[in-house]
């Protein structure tokens, strides 16, 4: 019975392998968390020291690739048939991609990361004005163009091959130009398993981080001690919200949660903006964006060969390399979700929307929260913010705004609510993605499987939090390292996806005919006729070509035609073009 169900509704090699790996990792963390922590630390050090250059170069190469693709003629290609239209409106689409792509991290690090770079910079003198400038520059760098370029590589490849070429919605499909039919063998299954592993454990880590920040908020409001037991209860409770959203489905669940959270986060940001140093924040935003635009080319290849102020390379390993590995390991989750909600959009619209809209919102968010905190510390170096932990920093900032205590309490409650909803949207969208990965690429999976993965995410985070507290080992850090480890082979996979997408797009041919011209018959008749020369006029009229002459009646066509490898061109008379090098004849295309 079970075997029959798995064969009918899942991809057994991917589903079973992923489930076994997840359970084995959890058991390792429960039975021997100290060993898990030691191994994770060693692996993390090896990756950052040996392959740091690969992360730096790859992230920049991906950014250059997507920008070139966006401005090229291939930007007009749709993620779907040529006559397809977007499935979601612009606001709903933006809300879903933003909350899934950034989520809890923006709330968690918006205050704490600039403070960390200000008090322990890689190059400038700690606490100086230059350190403050660099603090926002590095924060923008870590949350700016590069993360979204990584997501776009996978999301765009999946959307193109699934919706335009008719392949299943799974990472292996994006490698069809390279692997061909082997995407349905173990090479393809391995790619999908890596994607599941990175997504599942990356989400569990974020759930733990979110629980820590919600616990810190409850401690601020009610004095509850932010213990591991409280955090485990919070994980289970918020997972229940996410499970409800998963069960409702994408349209009713994830979309509504994402829109609600977007408006609540916007309200929280406006609160800090209006009650903080408003005029200074406007000046800082302009300065931060300008500095980022000027410095991002150099930062993209920066490896600190002179070691900056003596700790720059260590700083880069702890921050930039961690972020790049983290974004890469999350790319299957975010990329597949972006593909799932982007049917019918053009490549140019997809890249521009994913690359610039969320980054613009992130820059405003980071400036308002980050510069507000830096302003307080610069005016008072002994300010409690300088020593605040990552999970408590935002509450410490809210507590120092010049407003009544009840407004601070309301803002703190709003912060907790935003984190909870970010938690839920990340969990429910992640569950949807994992289920698609393990069922063979069906974008509308069965609810039983979605429920299984949503529950498993919460259980993994809760078990590892408890195991870490019981032994003193930091199980979440070990789990985070596992995501970074999964990101290492995914760097190669993403590079191959870019190559495969380039090959497929070269088979797209644009056939653009000339606009329809008015028939020259009347003009020729008038010019040929002379007074008293009717016969000549008749002869001239007879000499004029018919209006249906193909030389005089070219039809206006602006249809994209996909060309097969042998060079045959699809119809341009309004019918759907024939897909070139198409591996499947079924699907939305």
């Amino acid at each position: 019975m079970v075997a029959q169900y798995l064969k009918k509704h899942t991809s057994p090699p991917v589903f079973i392998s992923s489930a076994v790996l997840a359970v084995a990792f959890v058991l390792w963390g429960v039975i021997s968390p100290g060993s898990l922590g030691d191994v994770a630390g060693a692996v993390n050090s090896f990756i950052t020291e040996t392959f740091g250059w690969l992360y730096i170069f790859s992230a920049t190469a991906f950014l250059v690739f997507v920008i070139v693709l966006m401005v090229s003629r291939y930007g007009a290609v749709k993620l779907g048939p040529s006559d397809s239209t977007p499935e979601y409106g612009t606001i709903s689409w933006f809300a879903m991609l933003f909350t899934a792509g950034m989520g809890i991290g923006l709330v968690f690090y918006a205050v704490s990361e600039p403070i960390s770079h200000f008090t322990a910079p890689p190059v400038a003198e700690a606490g100086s004005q230059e350190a403050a400038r660099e603090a926002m520059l590095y924060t923008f760098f870590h949350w700016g163009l590069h993360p979204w370029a990584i997501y776009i590589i996978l999301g765009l490849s999946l959307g193109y091959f699934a919706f335009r070429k008719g392949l299943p919605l799974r990472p292996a499909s994006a490698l069809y130009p390279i692997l061909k039919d082997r995407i349905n063998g173990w090479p393809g299954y391995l790619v999908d398993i890596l994607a599941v592993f990175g997504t599942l454990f990356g989400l569990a880590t974020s759930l733990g981080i979110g629980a820590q920040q919600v616990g810190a908020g409850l401690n601020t409001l009610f004095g509850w001690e932010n213990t591991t037991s409280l955090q485990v209860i919070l994980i289970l409770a918020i997972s229940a919200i996410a499970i409800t959203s998963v069960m409702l489905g994408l349209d009713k669940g994830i979309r509504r949660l994402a829109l609600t959270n977007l408006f609540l986060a916007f309200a929280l940001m406006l609160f800090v903006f209006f009650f903080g140093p408003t005029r200074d924040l406007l000046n800082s935003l302009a300065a931060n964006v300008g500095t980022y635009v000027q410095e991002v080319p150099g930062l993209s290849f920066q490896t600190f060969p002179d070691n900056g102020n003596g700790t720059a390379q260590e700083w880069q390993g702890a921050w930039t390399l961690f972020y790049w590995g983290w974004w890469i390991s999350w790319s299957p989750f975010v990329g597949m979700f972006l593909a799932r909600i982007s049917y019918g959009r053009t490549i140019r619209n997809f890249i521009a929307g994913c690359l610039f809209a969320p980054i613009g919102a992130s820059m405003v968010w980071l400036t308002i929260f980050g510069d507000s905190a830096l302003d307080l510390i610069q005016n008072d170096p002994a300010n409690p913010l300088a020593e605040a932990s990552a999970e408590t920093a935002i509450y410490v900032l809210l507590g120092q705004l010049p407003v009544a205590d009840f407004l601070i309490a309301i803002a703190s409650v709003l912060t907790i609510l935003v984190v909870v909803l970010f938690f839920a949207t990340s969990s429910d969208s992640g569950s949807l993605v994992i289920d698609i990965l393990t069922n063979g690429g069906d974008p509308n999976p069965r609810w039983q499987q979605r429920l299984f993965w949503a529950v498993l995410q919460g259980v993994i985070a809760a078990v590892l939090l408890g195991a870490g507290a019981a032994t003193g080992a930091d199980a979440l850090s070990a789990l985070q390292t596992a995501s970074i480890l999964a990101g290492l082979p995914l760097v190669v996979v993403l590079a191959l996806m870019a190559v495969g997408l380039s090959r497929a797009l070269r088979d797209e041919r644009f056939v653009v005919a000339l606009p329809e011209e008015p028939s020259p018959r009347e003009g020729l008749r008038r010019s040929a006729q002379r007074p008293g020369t009717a016969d000549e006029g008749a002869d001239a009229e007879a000499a004029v070509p018919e209006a249906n002459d193909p030389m005089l009646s070219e039809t206006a066509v602006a249809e994209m035609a996909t060309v097969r490898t042998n060079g045959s061109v699809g119809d341009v008379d309004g019918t759907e073009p024939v897909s070139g090098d198409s591996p499947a004849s079924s699907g939305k295309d």
Side-chain angles (χ1 to χ4, degrees):
M1 185 71 176
V2 174
Q4 184 178 4
Y5 178 89
L6 291 176
K7 185 176 181 180
K8 183 177 181 181
H9 299 294
T10 73
S11 172
V14 180
F15 184 91
I16 296 173
S17 299
S18 301
V20 169
L21 282 173
V23 173
F25 199 90
V26 169
L27 291 176
W28 185 9
V30 172
I31 296 172
S32 182
S35 171
L36 177 62
D38 292 340
V39 172
V43 170
N44 188 45
S45 298
F46 173 77
I47 292 176
T48 55
E49 294 173 4
T50 307
F51 295 102
W53 63 271
L54 180 61
Y55 284 117
I56 297 293
F57 179 79
S58 298
T60 303
F62 295 150
L63 176 59
V64 173
F65 175 80
V66 298
I67 291 177
V68 170
L69 191 59
M70 178 182 67
V71 300
S72 71
R73 61 175 182 166
Y74 300 116
V77 177
K78 283 192 174 183
L79 303 183
S82 299
D83 60 351
S84 59
T85 57
E87 186 176 0
Y88 297 99
T90 301
I91 296 178
S92 297
W93 180 65
F94 169 72
M96 287 190 286
L97 69 89
F98 180 72
T99 53
M102 297 288 100
I104 296 171
L106 270 179
V107 183
F108 194 81
Y109 287 110
V111 177
S112 61
E113 184 175 348
I115 293 175
S116 177
H117 299 332
F118 177 71
T119 57
V123 177
E125 179 183 353
S128 64
Q129 187 63 37
E130 180 63 17
R133 187 189 73 89
E134 289 187 357
M136 293 309 302
L137 170 62
Y138 292 132
T139 304
F140 271 34
F141 180 54
H142 294 149
W143 293 88
L145 294 169
H146 290 75
W148 285 97
I150 293 169
Y151 298 154
I152 288 170
I153 291 290
L154 197 142
L156 181 60
S157 299
L158 286 182
Y160 177 82
F161 284 102
F163 299 141
R164 193 165 181 86
K165 297 297 185 181
L167 284 173
L169 190 63
R170 45 187 288 244
S173 297
L175 298 180
Y176 182 85
I178 298 173
L179 295 178
K180 299 298 182 183
D181 292 337
R182 286 178 294 173
I183 64 170
N184 296 316
W186 273 107
Y189 296 149
L190 180 60
V191 172
D192 293 342
I193 291 170
L194 285 172
V196 172
F197 187 81
T199 300
L200 184 61
F201 290 95
L203 280 169
T205 303
S206 288
L207 302 188
I209 290 175
Q212 290 174 349
Q213 191 162 42
V214 173
L218 295 177
N219 176 262
T220 300
L221 288 172
F222 307 110
W224 297 355
E225 187 177 356
N226 190 15
T227 62
T228 302
S229 299
L230 176 62
Q231 294 168 13
V232 170
I233 293 173
L234 289 171
I235 287 176
L236 297 179
I238 302 174
S239 293
I241 299 175
I243 290 169
T244 303
S245 177
V246 166
M247 300 301 293
L248 289 174
L250 185 65
D251 290 323
K252 295 181 179 179
I254 299 175
R255 182 172 62 86
R256 290 179 180 175
L257 276 180
L259 283 171
T260 300
N261 204 29
L262 187 68
F263 291 123
L264 291 178
F266 184 69
L268 178 63
M269 182 180 69
L270 289 180
F271 178 84
V272 177
F273 175 72
F274 285 118
F275 292 109
T278 305
R279 185 178 62 182
D280 291 340
L281 290 177
L282 292 173
N283 292 330
S284 296
L285 177 61
N288 291 341
V289 173
T291 301
Y292 175 72
V293 171
Q294 292 174 0
E295 301 289 343
V296 70
L299 283 178
S300 298
F301 296 97
Q302 178 63 270
T303 58
F304 297 105
D306 58 355
N307 205 22
N309 58 13
T311 60
Q313 291 182 345
E314 181 181 352
W315 174 91
Q316 187 175 53
W319 284 101
T320 305
L321 297 184
F322 162 71
Y323 269 126
W324 279 194
W326 186 247
W327 302 139
I328 290 170
S329 69
W330 265 55
S331 61
F333 157 48
V334 180
M336 177 169 287
F337 186 71
L338 294 182
R340 172 66 179 81
I341 64 175
S342 300
Y343 173 82
R345 296 187 179 273
T346 64
I347 288 178
R348 183 172 294 113
N349 179 256
F350 178 85
I351 295 177
C354 293
L355 197 60
F356 298 116
I359 292 172
S362 297
M363 287 179 172
V364 174
W365 176 278
L366 291 169
T367 295
I368 290 174
F369 286 91
D371 275 300
S372 293
L374 291 177
D375 181 72
L376 291 171
I377 297 176
Q378 286 179 292
N379 292 329
D380 178 16
N383 192 292
L385 269 171
E387 302 296 331
S389 62
E391 63 266 21
T392 62
I394 191 169
Y395 301 108
V396 176
L397 170 64
L398 293 175
Q400 298 188 48
L401 293 177
V403 296
D405 289 343
F406 80 93
L407 289 178
I408 293 176
I410 292 175
S412 298
V413 171
L414 185 58
T415 302
I416 294 174
L417 187 57
V418 168
V419 173
V420 168
L421 291 181
F422 267 133
F423 184 125
T425 51
S426 295
S427 179
D428 59 15
S429 56
S431 301
L432 175 67
V433 166
I434 294 173
D435 200 9
I436 293 174
L437 284 169
T438 56
N439 70 10
D442 180 6
N444 299 293
R446 296 174 64 88
W447 68 266
Q448 294 93 336
Q449 296 156 218
R450 299 169 68 180
L451 176 63
F452 169 77
W453 290 113
V455 171
L456 185 58
Q457 287 173 174
V459 170
I460 289 175
V463 167
L464 289 172
L465 267 177
T471 62
D474 190 352
L476 278 178
S477 294
L479 194 57
Q480 202 170 46
T481 301
S483 297
I484 298 174
L485 176 61
L488 184 60
L490 283 174
V491 171
V492 180
V493 172
L494 289 174
L496 293 176
M497 285 183 176
V499 173
L501 181 62
S502 299
R503 289 184 180 180
L505 287 175
R506 283 200 297 268
D507 289 336
E508 299 276 0
R509 177 172 297 176
F510 301 85
V511 180
V512 182
L514 296 175
E516 185 174 357
E517 299 283 350
S519 172
R521 173 185 294 180
E522 295 300 325
L524 289 174
R525 179 185 295 115
R526 286 194 298 269
S527 63
Q529 287 180 344
R530 298 289 189 274
T533 57
D535 292 339
E536 291 180 8
D539 293 341
E541 180 177 353
V544 176
E546 294 294 329
N548 60 3
D549 190 322
M551 296 299 293
L552 300 178
S553 59
E554 292 177 332
T555 303
V557 178
E559 181 71 23
M560 168 80 59
T562 307
V563 183
R564 294 188 180 274
T565 306
N566 61 14
S568 62
V569 183
D571 294 338
V572 295
D573 58 356
T575 61
E576 186 63 32
V578 180
S579 298
D581 195 21
S582 177
S585 59
S586 62
K588 288 185 178 295
D589 198 14

